[in-house]
Structure formats: C-alpha cells, structure tokens
Amino acid sequence: MSQQTDHLADKARRQFLTKATGVAAATVVAPGVFLHSVGNAAPREEPVNDSVRWGMLIDTSKCADGCNDCVAACDKENGLDQLIKPEGASEEQWDMQRPRWIRSVKLKNNLTGRVTTLPMMCQHCEHPPCVDVCPTGASFRRADGIVMVDRHTCIGCRYCMMACPYNARSFIHENVQLKPTATPRGKGCVESCNLCVHRLDNGLNTTACQEACDKGAIVFGDLRDPESAVSQALAKYPAVQIRADLKLNTGVRYTDV
Amino acid sequence: MKGKFGLGLVMALCLTLFAGFGAPHAGEGIEGSSKAAKLDACVEPTDYMRRNHFELIKHQRDITVHEGVRATDYSLAGCVDCHVRKDAQGQHVPVNAPGEFCSGCHQYTGATLDCFTCHATKPTGNGQ
C-alpha cells in the first residue's frame, strides 16, 4: 500500500515538474515577448474532439513559379529529406516514387495560357475516399478533421493511393535508416500529410509549410472557430475546393485557381 | 594433423569464452550512462514493467495515434529517451543495438522486436 502511495506521489511530482518546465519555456523568451506558438506549448492530455476542425487556405496568386519553400520545409520537418534513392533505381524512377507529403503542381489554362503553381497535399476531406477503401482501418479521420494513416495497422495494400483523387499519398518502398522521433516510418506503409500533427498535439498551432512561406500564401487554423485567421480569410476571399464535384468537403481550400 | 586440429579446437573454445565475457545477461541492460540507470524504478514498479511493458506501449500507441494524447508516461519515445545509453564519445547508442537495453532481454528470450523497424532508436529531439 505504501509503495503505491509513493508511486502516486512520484507521479504527481513528475506532472508538477512537467508543468513547471512548460511555464519556464514560455517566459524565458524575453519579458513581455511571447512567441505565439510557445505560449501554450504543452503535450495534449485529453483526447481530440470535433469542436475543432483543422484546415488551410492557400492563396495561389502568392505562389511563385519555381518556389519550393513549403515542400522543402515539409521534407525537413517530417524527415522526408533523409530518405535515400534505392540502389539500382534511376533518377526518374526515384523522382516519381520518392515519398512526398506536398507536391508542387503547375496548372495551365489551355484557352488563356495562364499558369498557376500550387502546393498539393492531403486535402483532409470530411468524407475521405482513402478511409472508405482501407481494408484494415489504418486510414482514418481523427475527430479534429486530420486524415491520417495508423502505420501499426497499415498492410501496404495501397488501395488508398488509388482512391485518393489528389495523388496525395506516398509509399515507403525500402527500409528507412534515419527515423525522426516525431514521424516514425518503415518499409511497406503508406503515408501522407498529417498537418504536422506532432506540433498540434504538443500545443503549437502552426505547420512547417505555413511557417516556411514568407509570402503568407498559406493560412492555417481552426475552420470551426469563426475568429480564426483561416475562417476570416475564407469569409473574405472566394475560395474553392479542388474537385468540389466529388463532394468530399475538403479541409484545404484554394483561391485564385 | 591431429595437433593442428587440437590447436584449432582450443582457439575456438577461447574465442567462445571471450565472446561470452562481452555478452550481456538478461536484465543487465540498464547499466551505464542512461537516465534510467540513475533511477530506482521505471514509470511503474520494476516487476510490473518486466511483465507488462508491452501492454502499456500497445495501448498508448492507439491512444496517441487516434486520440492525439501525448502527455503520457507510456510513450515509446519516452522509453528510448530514458533507456538509451551514451558511448565513450558521448554519442547515443541505438537502444536496439546488440546488448543494449531493449535487445538485451529480447535476444535472450527470443522475442522479436519490431518497434524499431519504424521508430527512432535514439532521441532525435523533434517532438515526442
């Protein structure tokens, strides 16, 4: 019994220490100066619920042709830049198959010749086709709107890659040598953008791509909160869903496409 | 001919013996410079952890992946962070390397350790 009490006391002390360090981290920056994302940085204690729906608005008029900032930031954040070309594969093969969460896509209007560049990633649909077709439940939609792959149950069948209208999913073909703590990955699993879920779960409310875009083309936030930057921008600008005809209600929207 | 065979046998025996010296024994994996080596017990009492550590990790993985709960004592990243050892140069030694904390027991008991096909074997400092 006493052992149990000691154990509980230990636990309480540990929690206190965790919280105390959190406070220190927020105040150390500078007196009176709070980094927006550091202020409430603490690991999530309660399960996510649907009072939040994470989403994005991308202003493609700000996307410069040839700019790769968001793709590079995503690769770095999620360890995709550490993957190496398999032995014997050609550059073209690797370019086609290398895992990417964001692709830079170029659209050309054949009538007018106008070219638009935009980042294309998982659109975090309300009714995701990848979830419909997954035979094991590995592809799932979290309560806060993030569409993810549970790699513990993914069997690598790649049905989801076929079902996704946005070509947003990648497959890991080879064993991975360097694995970041926040984004585990291994041979035989599918993966895609998860809106930097490790950041959101640790109390930050930014994504790597949004942070990297110095032109402010990406606005990220809670679609359910009318006061959030993304909701305000959606109310103001004419935004569209890509392939709106599929009625998937995507969480990622675009303007000026 | 016979002498040479005898010599070979003695050498083989010596090699086996020396190899035996370096080999870890089950339960001795926490020796050394890991954070765990300085603590009396893990997140639960030691005898409980010995039998149930995988139950804890398995339930935690579902809660974290599907519900986003990260403030927890039972994360695999937590195991690695605490049990990883540093070598003489101050570099982390992968926790699944032969004789390290995880594989020390898992090799001994012949249990397959699959976590590290995908998970980081040392802290990489980009979120838990």
Side-chain angles (χ1 to χ4, degrees), chain A residues 3 7 11 14 43-48 77 140 142 148 150 152 175 179-182 184-186 197-198 201-202, chain B residues 43-45 61-62 64-71 73-74 77 116-120 122-128:
Chain A
Q3 197 185 4
H7 173 61
K11 207 164 181 172
R14 206 160 36 230
R44 187 191 304 284
E45 292 179 9
E46 297 296 319
V48 288
E77 175 83 12
F140 71 102
R142 222 167 74 146
M148 289 175 44
D150 181 349
H152 301 111
N175 280 324
K179 292 152 289 205
T181 303
R185 63 165 53 87
V197 72
H198 56 281
D201 284 348
N202 282 304
Chain B
V43 290
E44 297 292 340
R61 100 185 173 186
D62 293 338
T64 300
V65 175
H66 290 263
E67 297 177 2
V69 177
R70 307 258 176 170
D73 288 342
Y74 305 144
F116 301 109
T117 320
C118 295
H119 282 276
K122 36 189 161 179
T124 62
N126 69 342
Q128 301 267 308

Side-chain angles (χ1 to χ4, degrees), chain B residues 70-83:
Chain B
R70 307 258 176 170
T72 165
D73 288 342
Y74 305 144
S75 77
L76 184 68
C79 304
V80 172
D81 189 47
C82 204
H83 286 288

Side-chain angles (χ1 to χ4, degrees), chain A residues 41-224:
Chain A
R44 187 191 304 284
E45 292 179 9
E46 297 296 319
V48 288
N49 58 54
D50 61 1
S51 64
V52 171
R53 185 186 176 196
W54 297 111
M56 260 183 194
L57 177 62
I58 298 168
D59 183 351
T60 58
S61 66
K62 292 179 181 160
C63 287
D65 189 12
C67 175
N68 204 36
D69 289 355
C70 56
V71 180
C74 172
D75 283 1
K76 188 165 184 293
E77 175 83 12
N78 298 298
L80 294 159
D81 57 345
Q82 292 170 358
L83 299 169
I84 43 172
K85 184 163 77 83
E87 221 173 299
S90 68
E91 283 296 336
E92 295 79 56
Q93 253 179 330
W94 176 233
D95 207 42
M96 209 162 59
Q97 292 197 327
R98 72 171 299 162
R100 276 263 153 81
W101 288 10
I102 308 181
R103 292 180 303 125
S104 185
V105 172
K106 205 180 274 189
L107 303 174
K108 188 179 174 191
N109 186 324
N110 284 337
L111 276 180
T112 61
R114 182 172 180 264
V115 174
T116 317
T117 312
L118 57 86
M120 174 56 69
M121 71 287 261
C122 173
Q123 303 287 294
H124 299 280
C125 311
E126 189 189 351
H127 309 292
C130 54
V131 175
D132 284 348
V133 299
C134 181
T136 66
S139 206
F140 71 102
R141 184 175 181 274
R142 222 167 74 146
D144 58 357
I146 304 177
V147 177
M148 289 175 44
V149 182
D150 181 349
R151 281 170 263 201
H152 301 111
T153 33
C154 175
I155 55 169
C157 72
R158 287 165 272 183
Y159 281 11
C160 57
M161 292 178 73
M162 290 288 116
C164 176
Y166 306 102
N167 196 7
R169 294 210 156 175
S170 304
F171 188 70
I172 306 294
H173 291 265
E174 296 290 336
N175 280 324
V176 179
Q177 299 307 322
L178 293 161
K179 292 152 289 205
T181 303
T183 44
R185 63 165 53 87
K187 181 177 172 178
C189 285
V190 169
E191 56 179 77
S192 59
C193 160
N194 56 21
L195 294 177
C196 288
V197 72
H198 56 281
R199 288 182 175 220
L200 303 176
D201 284 348
N202 282 304
L204 307 178
N205 48 12
T206 58
T207 63
C209 54
Q210 172 218 359
E211 239 176 38
C213 183
D214 52 15
K215 298 177 193 70
I218 302 176
V219 184
F220 172 79
D222 178 9
L223 299 173
R224 291 220 203 283

